[in-house]
């Protein structure tokens, strides 16, 4: 109990670290669940050097703590119209004192010649995407490289302009890009903050590497004609042996992608869930199931399987073999992707269901009295 004892100094340092974890902001609470953070503070605050995103209930708003100084522009590959718009937005941001970086894989030579090429050591304050959902998925891969290189505590906000095919993740119109960018850059307080959708991501842990995905990971039979056999554990409990063409493990964002085509349910982005969707199961009783987003999933190819399985991530990478007897672990990523939106909550998601997928669109049934009146008038 002597305060001068060396062990007491160590104890004081440990207590100090504990208080920092409780009250030090997002940087020290990144390994805690959202539910745990809510028990500590009334509102969640995620901070970086340039922006702050504050969560109140289900709503999240983003504003700048200082003007953004570095922006990454990611655009759809080999599209001259998109290149022209990207060039205009980039020059506008430079006029606002923001240095622009481009991705060498997705941008044309003309764009690269005028702006700096991004590398993993570049600290990015804002990501501007022009294209479709695939462009957002590519931007997610770039940010993953930055996380591994810089050990980031949060991801920069992403603003996406719809210039692709479907565009579930691209709420802003490119025709109004100047007003949109002015609104984003002027969001310097809670009163002028921009709505933000914190998109859940998944970490897939394999023997040699890890992948952080935004949409889904598919465990499938690949080119093999044989039925896949996939054993699934949730929170260390065996829940199903899927005998099918494969299994899709998706986030709410990915529930409207491949999982939807395989008969999976659609989950709003604000719902904390992970979806398990079997692909063409050889069973009358196999159905998709939603589990809590904090559940830990293990997928194993059992020794009784006839063939290996193959993995694909967000539908983009070449297939990776998962041999018989091996497993992968899937769990929620500690870093959400902040996607800037026009409206709060899931307003734009429902709007996309109606306008882009035709969800629940039908000629409205006439009431009885109107039908009777119409029939009498015809007689």
């Amino acid at each position: 109990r002597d305060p001068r004892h060396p062990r007491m100094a160590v104890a004081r340092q440990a207590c100090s670290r504990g208080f920092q974890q409780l009250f030090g902001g997002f940087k020290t609470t990144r390994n805690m669940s959202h539910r745990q953070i809510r028990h500590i503070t009334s509102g969640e605050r995620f901070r970086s050097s340039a922006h702050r995103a504050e969560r109140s209930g289900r709503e999240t708003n983003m504003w700048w703590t200082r003007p953004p100084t570095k922006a990454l522009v990611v655009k759809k590959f080999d599209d001259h119209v998109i290149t022209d718009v990207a060039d205009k937005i980039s020059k506008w941001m430079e006029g606002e004192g923001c240095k622009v970086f481009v991705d060498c894989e997705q941008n044309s030579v003309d764009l690269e010649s005028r702006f700096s090429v991004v590398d993993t050591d570049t600290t990015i304050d804002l990501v501007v995407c022009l294209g479709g959902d695939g462009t957002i998925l590519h931007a997610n891969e770039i940010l993953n490289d930055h996380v591994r290189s810089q050990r980031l505590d949060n991801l920069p906000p992403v603003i996406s302009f719809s210039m692709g095919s479907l565009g579930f993740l691209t709420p802003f119109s490119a025709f109004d890009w100047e007003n949109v960018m002015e609104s984003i850059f002027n969001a310097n307080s809670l009163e002028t903050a921009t709505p933000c959708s914190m998109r859940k991501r998944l970490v897939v842990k394999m023997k040699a590497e890890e992948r952080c995905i935004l949409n889904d990971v598919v465990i499938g039979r690949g080119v093999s004609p044989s039925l896949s056999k996939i054993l699934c554990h949730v929170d260390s409990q065996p829940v199903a042996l899927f005998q099918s063409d494969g299994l899709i493990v998706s986030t709410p964002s990915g529930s409207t992608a491949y999982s939807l085509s395989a008969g999976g349910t659609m989950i709003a982005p604000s719902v904390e869930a992970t979806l398990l969707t079997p692909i063409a199961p050889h069973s009358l009783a196999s159905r998709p199931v939603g589990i809590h987003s904090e559940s830990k999933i293990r997928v194993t190819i059992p020794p009784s399987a006839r063939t290996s399985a193959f993995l694909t991530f967000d539908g983009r990478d070449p297939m990776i073999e998962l041999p018989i007897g091996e497993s992968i672990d899937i769990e929620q990523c500690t870093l959400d992707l902040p996607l800037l939106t026009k409206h709060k909550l899931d307003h734009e998601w429902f709007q996309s269901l109606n306008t882009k997928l035709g969800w629940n669109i039908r000629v409205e049934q006439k009431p009885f009295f109107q039908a009777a009146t119409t029939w009498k008038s015809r007689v």
Side-chain angles (χ1 to χ4, degrees), residues 67-70 92-99 185:
T69 58
K70 295 180 181 179
W92 183 91
M93 288 191 293
E94 285 189 330
E96 297 293 320
C98 184
K99 186 175 181 180
F185 270 66

Side-chain angles (χ1 to χ4, degrees), residues 25-276:
F26 175 68
K27 184 174 182 178
T28 54
T29 59
R30 59 190 175 95
N31 292 324
M32 302 173 65
S33 68
H34 297 318
R35 185 172 297 177
Q36 289 172 318
I37 297 177
R38 290 195 191 103
H39 287 308
I40 297 173
T41 61
S42 58
E44 301 173 25
R45 294 183 177 181
F46 309 109
R47 297 186 180 183
S48 74
S49 57
H51 80 279
R52 175 185 298 178
E54 182 168 338
R55 188 195 304 266
S56 178
R58 292 172 53 218
E59 297 181 7
T60 304
N61 294 292
M62 188 283 301
W63 69 94
W64 302 106
T65 56
R66 62 165 175 80
T69 58
K70 295 180 181 179
L72 170 64
V73 175
V74 184
K75 76 173 195 68
K76 187 177 180 181
F77 178 73
D78 197 22
D79 190 307
H80 298 294
V81 175
I82 297 180
T83 300
D84 292 338
V85 178
D87 185 55
K88 293 178 182 178
I89 294 177
S90 300
K91 290 179 179 178
W92 183 91
M93 288 191 293
E94 285 189 330
E96 297 293 320
C98 184
K99 186 175 181 180
V100 175
F101 295 85
V102 296
D103 172 38
C104 61
E105 293 184 10
Q106 292 290 90
N107 291 279
S108 66
V109 177
D110 293 337
L111 205 59
E112 292 175 20
S113 63
R114 294 194 293 273
F115 305 103
S116 302
V117 176
V118 70
D119 56 44
T120 55
D121 295 327
T122 305
T123 302
I124 299 298
D125 298 328
L126 174 67
V127 179
V128 180
C129 291
L130 299 98
D133 294 338
T135 309
I136 302 288
L137 297 177
H138 180 67
N140 179 67
E141 294 179 1
I142 298 175
L143 293 177
N144 287 337
D145 294 336
H146 283 244
V147 170
R148 285 188 289 266
S149 175
Q150 304 179 32
R151 297 184 179 181
L152 300 178
D153 293 314
N154 57 4
L155 298 180
V158 178
I159 178 172
S160 53
F161 293 95
S162 180
M163 301 188 74
S165 300
L166 190 62
F168 254 89
L169 303 174
T170 54
F172 294 98
S173 171
F175 296 104
D176 195 34
W177 68 263
E178 191 167 358
N179 291 330
V180 172
M181 295 301 296
E182 287 180 356
S183 175
I184 298 299
F185 270 66
N186 291 331
N188 51 21
S189 65
L190 181 59
E191 290 73 22
T192 59
T194 301
C196 183
S197 176
M198 303 299 291
R199 295 300 179 112
K200 299 291 184 294
R201 305 192 303 162
L202 294 174
V203 177
V204 183
K205 299 180 179 180
M206 299 167 283
K207 275 189 174 181
E209 60 177 320
E210 294 184 2
R211 297 287 186 95
C212 192
I213 58 173
L214 179 60
N215 266 4
D216 52 42
V217 55
V218 178
I219 307 98
R221 61 185 179 90
V223 296
S224 172
S226 300
L227 195 71
S228 292
K229 190 179 288 189
I230 302 169
L231 178 61
C232 183
H233 289 74
V234 177
D235 295 328
S236 302
Q237 177 184 357
V239 294
L241 177 64
F242 294 103
Q243 299 183 85
S244 60
D245 282 353
L247 175 67
I248 306 170
V249 183
S250 70
T251 63
S253 298
S255 67
T256 51
Y258 189 9
S259 175
L260 175 64
S261 302
T265 186
M266 297 179 293
I267 302 178
S270 62
V271 178
E272 296 186 357
T274 300
L275 185 60
L276 306 178

